[in-house]
Amino acid sequence: MIAAFGCGAASADTLTELRARTPEQEIVYFVLPDRFANGDRRNDKGGLRGGPLQTGYDPTSRAFYHGGDLKGLTARLDYIQGLGATAIWLAPIFRNKPVQGGPGDESAGYHGYWVTDFTQVDPHFGTDADFKELVEAAHARGIKVYMDIIANHTADVIRYRESAGSTPLYRSKADYPFSRKGGVTGPAINSGFAGDHDASAANWAKLEDPSFAYTPVIAKGEKTVKVPAWLNDPIYYHNRGDTDWRGESAQYGDFVGLDDLATENPRVVAGFIDIYKGWIDRFGIDGYRIDTAKHVNPEFWRAFIPAIRAHAAARGIPNFHIFGEVATGDYDPALLASWTRNAGFPAVLDFAFMRAAVDAASGKSGTDLLARLTDDDALYEGGKAAALQLPTFLGNHDAGRFGFFLREAEPAMSPQEELARMMLGHAMLLTLRGVPTIYYGDEQGFAGTGNDQQARQDMFPSQVAQYNQDRLVGTSATTATDNFTTDHPLYVEIARLARLRVATPALSRGATLVRASSDKPGLFAVSRFDPDNGREVLVAFNTSEAPVTTHIAIDAESRTFSSLSGDCPATATTLGSLTLRLPAFGYAVCAAQP
């Protein structure tokens, strides 16, 4: 089995132990390979010739490839392991269209979300052999590898005859039904097609003409660019123009021009199941993060997810972690939970945690939303136990970095307060429920100036002037130099908290009971309970700029405590109460003793 996965570099014992870990036991490090480390300069241009508009490579522009690759990531595994990460989530590494966008608005696929070939590593990142080497080396260290995957769209290859030179506005199913060409008054087409609610192959065989809304056009040089080959046929796409992010268009419209797949079609469903089974077979990877999950019909996921999990289990990976992106900027656990119930996702990225934790740790609000999380976890399919598998985070490549959110909340914040609040937020991330997910560079104080490209800095010496002007948190360094410093105060503190989490089952697998919260900055406290022996671990945070001394309710059985972090009293003040003192922006983890 090990040889079949190409994991020979990991001992049988190491691999068995790794496979036995459940998703909630992981600490995830999310990385964009292009921006992390350059291990092979020969692949910087992806084997292409010409300038940036042909190769996609321009290390001076934040919109183009910078040269990071899989060899570079493999060479830095010790750094990631030292931080305490037990799993790596890579932004997509599939072959991408190098450059997209109209004249003057071009950018490159360095992020990995503009896929043309779903079966191979993009040459800018290296080779399939390089990926195999990365997975083997990670597994040898006990680190899992999660791939970021896409089923919603491909690269922008299809154009529309009716919108040449302009943005194709979305054309709805009501105004442009499948049964007519170019609108309700157009000539009849696709005779016998009952609509996309009928998922039978016999029904979809009757959809023969894809020009019901727009007439798809593909440039001669791109007619066979997509792999597998069936993806080159426009019949497998919605072809209704760009989404406006509302209503029907959110699932049927092109995502800023990206070719939106007809995921209702059984051929598309089966095709993507085969594609992503293949990566498990070839490399023995450990999980999938699914991009743009809410832009795909739930029926697709109800077929796809069970098939992938069953296949992984049959290949000796019983705890294959799948989590979807249901992006929102709001505190909206009901939206997130709906995708676990309606679409069958075992987990989704916890945007509700991000909103609650960022607002609390920045002092923008109180801690009442953090307290609500525990009750709202009942909304998820499987309830509060299932919510333990939700990846939690403080920022990412789309929304922006935690350091940026701190500065946005209080522009006059001192450097000392920034660092203290950065540590406070990461303490929440690593001690509260969920799967802590650290965005690469946060441990080096990266902050950025916004979202998207403004939050995708280089860890290796950057040539992007905008990045090099950024002020980092907790250091006088800039992104113009190498940023793999293991004595950065954030790296040191995250590593310490990660070791604490791994060594304390209550923090990764334990139930949560809220002990104290407020609608103003100040005390937030919860008890986490060891899933094996029931003993209490009290976790407390002070989000205010003044010290806090307070009594906190505890279990009557908890009489004596040891300090796992911070200043913890040795004994309870009285039966069921503990007196705790926390400095400004301080935190403590206090474990009840038998």
Side-chain angles (χ1 to χ4, degrees):
M1 187 65 73
I2 293 174
F5 286 132
C7 300
S11 71
D13 288 346
T14 299
L15 200 56
T16 298
E17 181 181 329
L18 178 148
R19 300 290 192 215
R21 295 198 313 257
T22 54
E24 60 265 31
Q25 293 178 276
E26 309 302 340
I27 298 170
V28 181
Y29 190 74
F30 171 37
V31 61
L32 273 64
D34 179 65
R35 303 297 165 90
F36 194 67
N38 192 339
D40 186 353
R41 297 194 178 279
R42 294 172 298 179
N43 61 31
D44 286 357
K45 296 185 177 181
L48 302 172
R49 294 183 178 181
L53 296 184
Q54 290 74 45
T55 67
Y57 176 69
D58 182 356
T60 68
S61 169
R62 65 189 187 193
F64 284 75
Y65 285 97
H66 290 178
D69 51 34
L70 296 173
K71 283 184 179 294
L73 185 54
T74 302
R76 290 292 186 176
L77 285 176
D78 287 346
Y79 169 87
I80 296 172
Q81 186 174 27
L83 185 64
T86 64
I88 300 171
W89 155 21
L90 291 84
I93 58 171
F94 313 108
R95 184 189 288 266
N96 268 228
K97 187 172 183 177
V99 177
Q100 289 187 180
D105 194 34
E106 301 93 346
S107 60
Y110 69 91
H111 42 68
Y113 295 102
W114 299 343
V115 185
T116 54
D117 186 344
F118 287 86
T119 69
Q120 292 187 44
V121 169
D122 190 289
H124 289 89
F125 300 142
T127 64
D128 288 7
D130 293 337
F131 185 51
K132 178 180 178 182
E133 181 184 355
L134 169 64
V135 175
E136 289 179 348
H139 283 172
R141 290 166 170 79
I143 298 173
K144 294 182 179 181
V145 176
Y146 297 162
M147 295 182 71
D148 200 322
I149 66 170
I150 305 103
N152 175 65
H153 58 263
T154 71
D156 184 8
V157 171
I158 298 173
R159 301 287 191 271
Y160 303 124
R161 183 173 298 154
E162 294 83 356
S163 66
S166 64
T167 299
L169 300 178
Y170 184 75
R171 292 182 169 179
S172 71
K173 290 196 290 181
D175 292 331
Y176 295 86
F178 294 108
S179 59
R180 295 284 173 173
K181 186 179 181 71
V184 293
T185 61
I189 56 173
N190 299 320
S191 176
F193 181 64
D196 60 3
H197 63 279
D198 182 345
S200 68
N203 178 53
W204 281 89
K206 297 171 184 175
L207 185 72
E208 299 176 332
D209 189 338
S211 58
F212 33 83
Y214 286 100
T215 306
V217 176
I218 301 176
K220 183 177 180 181
E222 294 187 314
K223 287 186 179 294
T224 61
V225 72
K226 295 180 184 179
V227 179
W230 61 268
L231 287 166
N232 292 297
D233 190 338
I235 203 68
Y236 296 119
Y237 298 83
H238 285 133
N239 304 310
R240 290 188 173 275
D242 279 12
T243 179
D244 59 14
W245 315 109
R246 298 185 298 273
E248 175 187 300
S249 85
Q251 289 187 8
Y252 285 83
D254 293 345
F255 200 91
V256 195
L258 298 170
D259 301 346
D260 198 68
L261 284 149
T263 46
E264 303 82 10
N265 190 321
R267 177 67 182 89
V268 176
V269 178
F272 274 98
I273 289 172
D274 286 345
I275 287 168
Y276 292 123
K277 280 182 178 179
W279 287 89
I280 296 171
D281 291 340
R282 293 161 60 201
F283 301 101
I285 43 94
D286 308 286
Y288 284 143
R289 179 268 192 184
I290 299 178
D291 180 64
T292 51
K294 71 176 182 180
H295 298 289
V296 175
N297 58 307
E299 295 84 358
F300 177 93
W301 300 124
R302 289 202 296 268
F304 178 88
I305 292 170
I308 293 298
R309 295 180 83 187
H311 188 75
R315 298 292 286 160
I317 313 173
N319 293 304
F320 195 85
H321 196 187
I322 291 180
F323 51 99
E325 179 202 28
V326 181
T328 176
D330 301 322
Y331 179 87
D332 195 352
L335 169 67
L336 303 177
S338 72
W339 286 85
T340 69
R341 292 189 175 274
N342 299 331
F345 273 92
V348 292
L349 284 165
D350 196 350
F351 281 87
F353 176 92
M354 185 193 81
R355 181 78 285 129
V358 167
D359 286 358
S362 67
K364 182 178 179 180
S365 69
T367 59
D368 45 336
L369 284 185
L370 277 175
R372 269 192 58 185
L373 275 173
T374 301
D375 289 334
D376 288 340
D377 281 350
L379 296 170
Y380 294 93
E381 182 69 33
K384 294 185 179 184
L388 294 173
Q389 295 192 20
L390 303 178
T392 52
F393 59 101
L394 300 169
N396 64 22
H397 60 320
D398 291 328
R401 291 187 179 273
F402 181 39
F404 167 71
F405 298 140
L406 291 179
R407 292 172 180 173
E408 190 178 42
E410 180 47 71
M413 191 180 296
S414 71
Q416 294 76 22
E417 183 176 338
E418 282 181 352
L419 178 59
R421 288 191 182 275
M422 281 281 281
M423 289 185 174
L424 176 64
H426 281 91
M428 292 175 175
L429 182 69
L430 285 153
T431 58
L432 297 177
R433 73 97 179 98
V435 183
T437 303
I438 300 162
Y439 185 37
Y440 85 97
D442 280 4
E443 76 280 2
Q444 296 295 329
F446 287 11
T449 56
N451 62 3
D452 197 76
Q453 294 177 12
Q454 298 173 79
R456 300 174 181 181
Q457 293 84 353
D458 302 309
M459 292 284 283
F460 54 97
S462 181
Q463 299 179 49
V464 178
Q466 297 101 315
Y467 290 161
N468 295 340
Q469 292 166 3
D470 289 349
R471 178 172 58 85
L472 308 189
V473 178
T475 178
S476 60
T478 72
T479 56
T481 61
D482 187 292
N483 276 281
F484 292 97
T485 305
T486 56
D487 61 358
H488 189 291
L490 282 166
Y491 183 99
V492 172
E493 184 66 355
I494 291 171
R496 185 186 70 83
L497 290 165
R499 290 192 297 270
L500 173 60
R501 184 181 183 90
V502 169
T504 311
L507 299 182
S508 59
R509 297 187 288 120
T512 298
L513 176 63
V514 175
R515 296 296 193 182
S517 66
S518 172
D519 60 357
K520 296 179 176 59
L523 178 69
F524 178 65
V526 301
S527 290
R528 308 289 309 275
F529 295 93
D530 191 299
D532 302 316
N533 58 35
R535 281 198 287 272
E536 180 177 16
V537 175
L538 181 70
V539 185
F541 312 90
N542 178 13
T543 67
S544 75
E545 57 189 22
V548 169
T549 299
T550 187
H551 305 303
I552 300 176
I554 55 174
D555 272 13
E557 292 81 5
S558 300
R559 308 291 181 86
T560 61
F561 289 84
S562 65
S563 174
L564 303 183
S565 181
D567 185 12
C568 297
T571 59
T573 306
T574 188
L575 192 69
S577 181
L578 185 75
T579 302
L580 198 62
R581 297 173 177 83
L582 292 173
F585 319 125
Y587 41 92
V589 182
C590 309
Q593 297 303 291

